[in-house]
């Protein structure tokens, strides 16, 4: 599967093992409900909670080709996915506040770089190279192309096969990598998510220490 979005939160709380399990269930339900609307597919969530003050790494995995199917172009779809990742982060943070987390306890929040960001970065690198290509030597051109192609090959190991296929189809043929450098198989599967009439009770309803 492809990582569509990621979120990092640092919350100044210590939870018991039981509360940490509840926190995972709580975040899973919350984020699943948001993702069903934004990404129009069943997504897989990965949530890690670390000891001490709570550090949350949350990854949302799915398929880019499904998520951008309704947009006019691949690039506009990527731009929307990146906007959606900001939206998910803001929805999660605002819901935590709404359901009882003191603002002073959220020490840090950030959106993590994911596959749509990496694809857009590669597209921008190609755009920049094409604009200045007339002023470069053949050696310089080849060096830049090699860097771009290596980035694509690396990305191929991070996304599902259909996503990398549609991405490469958007590129000029001279930037197409050697298929032999790609993974031989991908594991695309989805887990069902359930709608939520009401979130579980927040385990983060804590006052300042």
């Amino acid at each position: 599967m492809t990582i569509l979005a990621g979120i990092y939160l640092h919350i100044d709380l210590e939870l018991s093992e039981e509360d940490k399990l509840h926190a995972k269930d709580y975040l899973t339900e919350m984020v699943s409900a948001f993702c069903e609307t934004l990404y129009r597919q069943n997504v897989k969530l990965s949530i890690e909670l670390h000891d001490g003050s709570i550090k949350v790494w949350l990854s949302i995995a799915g398929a880019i080709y499904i998520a951008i199917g309704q947009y006019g172009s691949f690039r506009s779809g990527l731009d929307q996915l990146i906007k959606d990742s900001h939206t998910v982060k803001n929805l999660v943070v605002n819901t935590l506040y709404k359901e009882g987390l003191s603002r002073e306890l959220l020490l840090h929040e950030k959106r993590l770089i994911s596959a749509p960001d990496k694809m857009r970065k590669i597209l921008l690198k190609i755009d920049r190279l094409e604009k200045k290509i007339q002023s470069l030597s053949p050696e310089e051109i080849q060096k830049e192309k090699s860097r771009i192609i290596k980035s694509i090959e690396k990305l191929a190991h991070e996304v599902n096969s259909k996503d990398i296929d549609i991405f490469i189809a958007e590129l000029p043929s001279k930037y197409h990598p050697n298929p032999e450098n790609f993974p031989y198989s991908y594991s695309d599967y989805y887990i069902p998510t359930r709608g939520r009439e009401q979130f579980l009770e927040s385990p983060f309803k804590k006052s300042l220490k």
Side-chain angles (χ1 to χ4, degrees):
M1 301 180 82
T2 300
I3 302 299
L4 304 176
I7 302 168
Y8 169 75
L9 304 172
H10 185 185
I11 302 172
D12 190 18
L13 287 175
E14 292 187 11
L15 299 180
S16 66
E17 290 302 315
E18 181 179 355
D19 282 342
K20 281 194 285 188
L21 291 174
H22 177 56
K24 281 192 174 184
D25 290 341
Y26 168 78
L27 290 169
T28 297
E29 283 204 343
M30 180 203 302
V31 178
S32 293
F34 297 147
C35 289
E36 286 176 357
T37 300
L38 287 170
Y39 297 114
R40 296 165 294 281
Q41 61 184 291
N42 292 329
V43 298
K44 182 178 180 180
L45 303 178
S46 174
I47 298 174
E48 297 181 21
L49 299 179
H50 286 240
D51 292 334
S53 56
I54 296 300
K55 296 179 181 178
V56 181
W57 280 268
L58 190 155
S59 297
I60 301 165
I64 289 176
Y65 73 93
I66 295 176
I68 68 174
Q70 68 175 358
Y71 299 106
S73 70
F74 184 81
R75 288 196 182 215
S76 61
L78 282 184
D79 289 341
Q80 185 59 51
L81 283 180
I82 293 169
K83 290 178 183 177
D84 288 344
S85 68
H86 286 280
T87 299
V88 171
K89 180 185 74 69
N90 292 336
L91 286 170
V92 169
V93 169
N94 290 335
T95 301
L96 289 175
Y97 290 151
K98 182 180 178 181
E99 298 193 358
L101 178 68
S102 297
R103 290 179 179 269
E104 294 87 348
L105 294 180
L106 183 55
L107 302 180
H108 189 57
E109 58 172 275
K110 69 177 178 180
R111 184 187 72 90
L112 303 177
I113 299 300
S114 302
D117 302 276
K118 295 176 182 179
M119 287 181 174
R120 184 172 68 171
K121 184 177 180 180
I122 290 170
L123 290 171
L124 292 174
K125 285 182 177 179
I126 291 174
D127 289 344
R128 287 194 291 268
L129 177 55
E130 289 297 312
K131 286 180 181 179
K132 65 179 183 180
I133 203 165
Q134 297 299 327
S135 63
L136 299 177
S137 69
E139 292 77 15
E140 290 172 325
I141 294 171
Q142 185 57 44
K143 185 176 180 180
E144 292 295 325
K145 281 177 56 181
S146 295
R147 287 176 177 172
I148 291 170
I149 290 172
K150 284 182 180 179
S151 296
I152 298 168
E153 291 172 348
K154 182 179 179 181
L155 180 65
H157 291 263
E158 302 175 14
V159 304
N160 70 50
S161 56
K162 288 186 179 179
D163 285 343
I164 197 66
D165 285 346
I166 61 170
F167 176 61
I168 291 175
E170 293 291 317
L171 307 178
S173 59
K174 61 184 174 182
Y175 296 103
H176 289 187
N178 184 344
E180 293 182 358
N181 295 330
F182 279 20
Y184 289 104
S185 63
Y186 296 84
S187 178
D188 284 344
Y189 63 96
Y190 303 109
I191 59 172
T193 55
R194 54 194 174 97
R196 292 180 53 173
E197 297 295 330
Q198 182 178 1
F199 292 156
L200 293 172
E201 182 180 3
S202 172
F204 301 113
K205 288 183 178 179
K206 305 287 184 180
S207 59
L208 286 170
K209 296 178 180 178

